[in-house]
Amino acid sequence: MQEKLYDYAVIGGDMRQVYLTEELADPSRRICYYALSASPKEGHCSPTAYLTNAATLQEACNVSSQLICPIPLSTDGTHLNQRVLTDGLTLQQLLDELHAGQLFFAGAIPPAFRDEAEKKGVKVYDLMEVPSLSYFNTLATAEGAICEAISMSPINLHKSRCLILGYGKCGSTLAHYLKGMSCYLDIITRDPLEQSQAALTAVHVDGIEALENRVMDYDFIFNTIPALVLTAPLLKKMKPQVTIIDIASAPGGVDFAAASELNLCARLAPGLPGKYAPASSARAIKETIEIMLKE
């Protein structure tokens, strides 16, 4: 095994990874990066930072002690989440370059990838298993969802009729924001405990069976459920000017083909923290990694 020239290799991802590279780049660390969506800005780094762009994945991995990959690691379960390499980069290609003794950080790591990496002697850390970062991610996601809604709709969110589908971490945080914007808020969730919690915030709380009779009431619908819930028959009942923001994991919970045919304004909006709050998200990731290393 070669001598470790770099303390960290930052690989792939969205603008969070770019800002994270800048956050890490100080005189105490040697950093390389590969397949970032943009080049780190020298002015955002320490002038004496040791920072370089690796020419290949092999170069980035082979001489780095710690690797930081995206949140999520993959969006399709097969390829690394990155936006630069036109031919793509598979998780298997990444696995092939890992070796014993390395530390590997990423988010939403597939179990099979974790198992194979650990068999090679790699210590794997899933960033999204840290509650503080998971919570911060919901804040950035909620703010991004609201930005998407405002940019897509001709009406104000203030005093509008809003529906949130699902009341997990993202749904509950989004509800808090929308309530603060004086929205008339309804929530639909299957879970009885979530229904009890949602009743503290929403005007109406119902199970999924109530959706058919209420879906025509809303100006904005935010989906967080990673399963098809807004089907073509339901979409046909909606207001023509409704705005639908789907922040569930791909492929989301909306029949987007039907929405397009009906000329409804609907958007699948993944990666909102990387789009709307990459610098803040990067700082939270860096702090999370530092906590993990201390533990």
Side-chain angles (χ1 to χ4, degrees), residues 215-229:
V215 75
M216 65 289 296
D217 296 337
Y218 303 108
D219 305 303
F220 296 89
I221 297 177
F222 299 87
N223 178 59
T224 72
I225 300 173
L228 183 60
V229 285

PDB file of all heavy atoms in Angstrom, residues 215-229:
ATOM      1  N   VAL A 215     -58.289  16.215  -2.179  1.00  0.00           N
ATOM      2  CA  VAL A 215     -57.179  16.629  -3.027  1.00  0.00           C
ATOM      3  C   VAL A 215     -57.505  17.854  -3.889  1.00  0.00           C
ATOM      4  O   VAL A 215     -56.595  18.573  -4.320  1.00  0.00           O
ATOM      5  CB  VAL A 215     -56.728  15.435  -3.897  1.00  0.00           C
ATOM      6  CG1 VAL A 215     -57.701  15.173  -5.034  1.00  0.00           C
ATOM      7  CG2 VAL A 215     -55.314  15.626  -4.410  1.00  0.00           C
ATOM      8  N   MET A 216     -58.778  18.116  -4.118  1.00  0.00           N
ATOM      9  CA  MET A 216     -59.152  19.265  -4.956  1.00  0.00           C
ATOM     10  C   MET A 216     -59.108  20.597  -4.201  1.00  0.00           C
ATOM     11  O   MET A 216     -59.319  21.658  -4.791  1.00  0.00           O
ATOM     12  CB  MET A 216     -60.559  19.060  -5.525  1.00  0.00           C
ATOM     13  CG  MET A 216     -61.687  19.037  -4.498  1.00  0.00           C
ATOM     14  SD  MET A 216     -61.696  17.553  -3.453  1.00  0.00           S
ATOM     15  CE  MET A 216     -62.012  16.273  -4.664  1.00  0.00           C
ATOM     16  N   ASP A 217     -58.793  20.564  -2.915  1.00  0.00           N
ATOM     17  CA  ASP A 217     -58.855  21.775  -2.089  1.00  0.00           C
ATOM     18  C   ASP A 217     -57.577  22.606  -2.107  1.00  0.00           C
ATOM     19  O   ASP A 217     -57.590  23.756  -1.662  1.00  0.00           O
ATOM     20  CB  ASP A 217     -59.138  21.398  -0.625  1.00  0.00           C
ATOM     21  CG  ASP A 217     -60.486  20.739  -0.426  1.00  0.00           C
ATOM     22  OD1 ASP A 217     -61.363  20.947  -1.286  1.00  0.00           O
ATOM     23  OD2 ASP A 217     -60.645  20.024   0.579  1.00  0.00           O
ATOM     24  N   TYR A 218     -56.476  22.081  -2.622  1.00  0.00           N
ATOM     25  CA  TYR A 218     -55.174  22.652  -2.292  1.00  0.00           C
ATOM     26  C   TYR A 218     -54.542  23.486  -3.394  1.00  0.00           C
ATOM     27  O   TYR A 218     -54.663  23.190  -4.582  1.00  0.00           O
ATOM     28  CB  TYR A 218     -54.215  21.531  -1.870  1.00  0.00           C
ATOM     29  CG  TYR A 218     -54.772  20.745  -0.713  1.00  0.00           C
ATOM     30  CD1 TYR A 218     -55.246  19.453  -0.893  1.00  0.00           C
ATOM     31  CD2 TYR A 218     -54.861  21.324   0.547  1.00  0.00           C
ATOM     32  CE1 TYR A 218     -55.795  18.744   0.167  1.00  0.00           C
ATOM     33  CE2 TYR A 218     -55.404  20.632   1.614  1.00  0.00           C
ATOM     34  CZ  TYR A 218     -55.874  19.343   1.418  1.00  0.00           C
ATOM     35  OH  TYR A 218     -56.428  18.671   2.465  1.00  0.00           O
ATOM     36  N   ASP A 219     -53.821  24.529  -2.934  1.00  0.00           N
ATOM     37  CA  ASP A 219     -53.015  25.358  -3.827  1.00  0.00           C
ATOM     38  C   ASP A 219     -51.603  24.784  -3.969  1.00  0.00           C
ATOM     39  O   ASP A 219     -50.971  24.909  -5.021  1.00  0.00           O
ATOM     40  CB  ASP A 219     -52.910  26.782  -3.269  1.00  0.00           C
ATOM     41  CG  ASP A 219     -54.266  27.400  -3.021  1.00  0.00           C
ATOM     42  OD1 ASP A 219     -55.061  27.479  -3.982  1.00  0.00           O
ATOM     43  OD2 ASP A 219     -54.544  27.799  -1.863  1.00  0.00           O
ATOM     44  N   PHE A 220     -51.099  24.166  -2.891  1.00  0.00           N
ATOM     45  CA  PHE A 220     -49.761  23.569  -2.874  1.00  0.00           C
ATOM     46  C   PHE A 220     -49.844  22.177  -2.246  1.00  0.00           C
ATOM     47  O   PHE A 220     -50.519  22.002  -1.222  1.00  0.00           O
ATOM     48  CB  PHE A 220     -48.775  24.413  -2.049  1.00  0.00           C
ATOM     49  CG  PHE A 220     -48.515  25.782  -2.598  1.00  0.00           C
ATOM     50  CD1 PHE A 220     -49.310  26.859  -2.224  1.00  0.00           C
ATOM     51  CD2 PHE A 220     -47.459  26.003  -3.476  1.00  0.00           C
ATOM     52  CE1 PHE A 220     -49.069  28.129  -2.719  1.00  0.00           C
ATOM     53  CE2 PHE A 220     -47.209  27.269  -3.973  1.00  0.00           C
ATOM     54  CZ  PHE A 220     -48.016  28.340  -3.597  1.00  0.00           C
ATOM     55  N   ILE A 221     -49.154  21.240  -2.848  1.00  0.00           N
ATOM     56  CA  ILE A 221     -49.041  19.896  -2.273  1.00  0.00           C
ATOM     57  C   ILE A 221     -47.564  19.539  -2.209  1.00  0.00           C
ATOM     58  O   ILE A 221     -46.851  19.635  -3.216  1.00  0.00           O
ATOM     59  CB  ILE A 221     -49.814  18.855  -3.102  1.00  0.00           C
ATOM     60  CG1 ILE A 221     -51.305  19.185  -3.099  1.00  0.00           C
ATOM     61  CG2 ILE A 221     -49.576  17.447  -2.550  1.00  0.00           C
ATOM     62  CD1 ILE A 221     -52.152  18.251  -3.956  1.00  0.00           C
ATOM     63  N   PHE A 222     -47.116  19.124  -1.029  1.00  0.00           N
ATOM     64  CA  PHE A 222     -45.732  18.699  -0.814  1.00  0.00           C
ATOM     65  C   PHE A 222     -45.736  17.215  -0.474  1.00  0.00           C
ATOM     66  O   PHE A 222     -46.342  16.812   0.536  1.00  0.00           O
ATOM     67  CB  PHE A 222     -45.090  19.492   0.327  1.00  0.00           C
ATOM     68  CG  PHE A 222     -45.022  20.972   0.090  1.00  0.00           C
ATOM     69  CD1 PHE A 222     -46.092  21.796   0.427  1.00  0.00           C
ATOM     70  CD2 PHE A 222     -43.885  21.552  -0.458  1.00  0.00           C
ATOM     71  CE1 PHE A 222     -46.029  23.173   0.218  1.00  0.00           C
ATOM     72  CE2 PHE A 222     -43.807  22.921  -0.667  1.00  0.00           C
ATOM     73  CZ  PHE A 222     -44.881  23.728  -0.331  1.00  0.00           C
ATOM     74  N   ASN A 223     -45.108  16.420  -1.287  1.00  0.00           N
ATOM     75  CA  ASN A 223     -45.062  14.983  -1.018  1.00  0.00           C
ATOM     76  C   ASN A 223     -43.715  14.566  -0.445  1.00  0.00           C
ATOM     77  O   ASN A 223     -42.659  14.919  -0.980  1.00  0.00           O
ATOM     78  CB  ASN A 223     -45.322  14.171  -2.285  1.00  0.00           C
ATOM     79  CG  ASN A 223     -45.215  12.684  -1.997  1.00  0.00           C
ATOM     80  OD1 ASN A 223     -45.943  12.147  -1.157  1.00  0.00           O
ATOM     81  ND2 ASN A 223     -44.288  12.008  -2.653  1.00  0.00           N
ATOM     82  N   THR A 224     -43.749  13.777   0.635  1.00  0.00           N
ATOM     83  CA  THR A 224     -42.536  13.209   1.221  1.00  0.00           C
ATOM     84  C   THR A 224     -42.573  11.684   1.235  1.00  0.00           C
ATOM     85  O   THR A 224     -41.637  11.053   1.726  1.00  0.00           O
ATOM     86  CB  THR A 224     -42.331  13.700   2.670  1.00  0.00           C
ATOM     87  OG1 THR A 224     -43.296  13.079   3.534  1.00  0.00           O
ATOM     88  CG2 THR A 224     -42.470  15.216   2.756  1.00  0.00           C
ATOM     89  N   ILE A 225     -43.640  11.080   0.694  1.00  0.00           N
ATOM     90  CA  ILE A 225     -43.808   9.621   0.741  1.00  0.00           C
ATOM     91  C   ILE A 225     -43.125   8.992  -0.479  1.00  0.00           C
ATOM     92  O   ILE A 225     -43.468   9.318  -1.619  1.00  0.00           O
ATOM     93  CB  ILE A 225     -45.306   9.250   0.754  1.00  0.00           C
ATOM     94  CG1 ILE A 225     -45.984   9.858   1.991  1.00  0.00           C
ATOM     95  CG2 ILE A 225     -45.485   7.736   0.745  1.00  0.00           C
ATOM     96  CD1 ILE A 225     -47.495   9.696   2.006  1.00  0.00           C
ATOM     97  N   PRO A 226     -42.172   8.073  -0.273  1.00  0.00           N
ATOM     98  CA  PRO A 226     -41.437   7.468  -1.397  1.00  0.00           C
ATOM     99  C   PRO A 226     -42.185   6.305  -2.040  1.00  0.00           C
ATOM    100  O   PRO A 226     -41.661   5.202  -2.189  1.00  0.00           O
ATOM    101  CB  PRO A 226     -40.137   7.005  -0.731  1.00  0.00           C
ATOM    102  CG  PRO A 226     -40.547   6.665   0.658  1.00  0.00           C
ATOM    103  CD  PRO A 226     -41.624   7.657   1.040  1.00  0.00           C
ATOM    104  N   ALA A 227     -43.432   6.547  -2.412  1.00  0.00           N
ATOM    105  CA  ALA A 227     -44.252   5.550  -3.110  1.00  0.00           C
ATOM    106  C   ALA A 227     -45.324   6.313  -3.866  1.00  0.00           C
ATOM    107  O   ALA A 227     -45.681   7.447  -3.501  1.00  0.00           O
ATOM    108  CB  ALA A 227     -44.879   4.570  -2.123  1.00  0.00           C
ATOM    109  N   LEU A 228     -45.848   5.723  -4.934  1.00  0.00           N
ATOM    110  CA  LEU A 228     -46.821   6.426  -5.766  1.00  0.00           C
ATOM    111  C   LEU A 228     -48.107   6.672  -4.986  1.00  0.00           C
ATOM    112  O   LEU A 228     -48.857   5.753  -4.681  1.00  0.00           O
ATOM    113  CB  LEU A 228     -47.117   5.603  -7.020  1.00  0.00           C
ATOM    114  CG  LEU A 228     -48.083   6.250  -8.020  1.00  0.00           C
ATOM    115  CD1 LEU A 228     -47.529   7.580  -8.530  1.00  0.00           C
ATOM    116  CD2 LEU A 228     -48.352   5.307  -9.189  1.00  0.00           C
ATOM    117  N   VAL A 229     -48.371   7.930  -4.675  1.00  0.00           N
ATOM    118  CA  VAL A 229     -49.588   8.304  -3.962  1.00  0.00           C
ATOM    119  C   VAL A 229     -50.457   9.245  -4.794  1.00  0.00           C
ATOM    120  O   VAL A 229     -51.685   9.195  -4.718  1.00  0.00           O
ATOM    121  CB  VAL A 229     -49.269   8.950  -2.595  1.00  0.00           C
ATOM    122  CG1 VAL A 229     -48.832   7.898  -1.605  1.00  0.00           C
ATOM    123  CG2 VAL A 229     -48.221  10.040  -2.710  1.00  0.00           C
TER     124      VAL A 229
END
